[in-house]
Amino acid sequence: NMNICHQQIPDDWPGYRLDLFTYPKHYSGDLDCVYIPHGVIMDRTERLARDIKDDLGDQDIVVLCVLKGGHQFCADLVERIQVLNRNSKRSLLMTVDFIRLKSYLNDQSMPDLQMIGAESLSVLAGKNVLIVEAIVDTGKTLHTLLSHIQTFKPKLIKVASLLVKRVPNQSVCLPDYVGFEIPNLFVVGYALDYNEYFRDLNHICVMSEDGKQKYRL
Ligand code: 5GP
């Protein structure tokens, strides 16, 4: 993939101090910093929506939201595309579908990937599919998902991911649309979880050691 243009957040990026922003009281002590503020996520999403609309023009697409982590990014991205659709001579018709994947326990990736809702993917046959994910780490999940979706013979597959991690042996599957490339660290918030916690946090944050202990399984 040669057309990736995205902000690379450097390894030494310290994030923002927590007291510069607001976050729910129930997570006080559980976080180290605000890594990407909600407003920056929204501004980047607006641009990704424009890039997607410019590329896909006035075709019909099926937006395939990868749950649970991708729901917030998917909702915000679809909303931005809708705004463009209302204000342009060409518009991109969208339908939305969902698939649920699970591979993490605590902050560790598990060898087995569970896929829920994959039976109904026959609707993707002959369609332009836009997969919307929150984060690509090793790329294993995306690779598994792509090979599964290909069996349903869609016309075109594009992938949008808000975050991509800079990791040593990342597989060749990289998204077509990337919000930010981040260092190899574990982040939460904006629907990304740690054992189901922190999805109800609007910023993308880095957890504290206390936070990891508190919600560990
Ligand atoms: P991969 O298969 O690319 O290694 O892992 C992708 C999946 O792992 C993501 O869809 C996400 O569910 C989870 N994941 C990877 N990195 C992070 C992270 O930093 N934070 C959270 N909350 N989940 C992550």
Side-chain angles (χ1 to χ4, degrees), residues 67-213:
L67 296 174
K68 294 181 184 173
H71 87 81
Q72 194 66 60
F73 176 51
C74 186
D76 289 329
L77 184 64
V78 164
E79 191 180 299
R80 290 302 171 292
I81 297 173
Q82 285 175 205
V83 172
L84 295 172
N85 278 343
R86 294 198 294 270
N87 291 285
S88 135
K89 293 206 171 83
R90 302 192 309 169
S91 65
L92 188 62
L93 188 151
M94 294 178 285
T95 59
V96 183
D97 227 305
F98 300 89
I99 186 167
R100 183 165 163 205
L101 302 179
K102 189 169 167 55
S103 64
Y104 259 63
L105 178 68
N106 298 319
D107 54 1
Q108 299 301 312
S109 181
M110 292 289 114
D112 292 319
L113 181 72
Q114 291 169 258
M115 208 182 280
I116 303 154
E119 319 80 48
S120 61
L121 293 181
S122 52
V123 296
L124 302 183
K127 299 278 174 60
N128 301 308
V129 182
L130 177 69
I131 299 173
V132 180
E133 275 226 79
I135 188 163
V136 173
D137 185 353
T138 62
K140 229 175 49 189
T141 305
L142 183 57
H143 181 83
T144 309
L145 185 60
L146 280 173
S147 31
H148 185 70
I149 288 173
Q150 255 137 19
T151 64
F152 295 95
K153 306 245 182 291
K155 187 157 101 194
L156 175 86
I157 306 178
K158 294 280 187 188
V159 180
S161 182
L162 178 63
L163 306 175
V164 168
K165 271 192 211 179
R166 212 158 38 239
V167 293
N169 38 34
Q170 202 161 40
S171 80
V172 283
C173 289
L174 278 176
D176 304 279
Y177 306 98
V178 175
F180 304 94
E181 182 189 285
I182 64 167
N184 192 4
L185 49 76
F186 191 79
V187 292
V188 294
Y190 193 68
L192 284 166
D193 76 310
Y194 176 84
N195 297 329
E196 299 301 328
Y197 291 94
F198 302 102
R199 294 196 200 274
D200 61 335
L201 179 64
N202 61 341
H203 311 294
I204 290 177
C205 295
V206 175
M207 297 168 67
S208 65
E209 273 315 309
D210 282 356
K212 286 193 184 181
Q213 287 308 323

